[in-house]
Amino acid sequence: MVDLFTTLAIIVADRNSRLSSSVDLSLSYLAATDPGEEMTISAVCNKVGRSMAFATAEVRVGDRLVVTAKHTKFVTDRTIEIAD
């Protein structure tokens, strides 16, 4: 799930909506959760450059931080085309 949300954050931040491919995805599990607990994921694009993009994310259960993540992506010259 984290990779999806960080990728979406990068797509939104990239003015050209370029295609990308993961180079590194790192997750730190800080606490356990129980099955069925509702989680909130927040993702932020920290930087989009010419060929690399960087994003971070947090997963929370209520106010409790349970996962932190860092995602690095290679950004291509090709753009995402959305059909009407």
Side-chain angles (χ1 to χ4, degrees):
M1 271 299 206
V2 169
D3 61 335
L4 172 66
F5 284 94
T6 52
T7 296
L8 289 173
I10 290 169
I11 290 169
V12 170
D14 183 15
R15 284 182 260 140
N16 299 317
S17 297
R18 295 172 290 171
L19 294 172
S20 61
S21 179
S22 295
V23 173
D24 182 55
L25 178 60
S26 172
L27 285 85
S28 295
Y29 297 92
L30 308 174
T33 61
D34 292 322
E37 282 191 294
E38 186 173 315
M39 297 181 189
T40 303
I41 301 174
S42 60
V44 175
C45 178
N46 304 105
K47 181 178 179 172
V48 177
R50 285 186 313 209
S51 63
M52 299 294 281
F54 307 90
T56 54
E58 292 183 344
V59 179
R60 293 182 178 273
V61 173
D63 291 333
R64 187 169 47 117
L65 181 63
V66 294
V67 175
T68 59
K70 295 178 184 179
H71 197 176
T72 304
K73 298 195 83 172
F74 170 73
V75 182
T76 69
D77 292 334
R78 296 177 52 205
T79 60
I80 298 170
E81 296 183 28
I82 300 172
D84 289 331

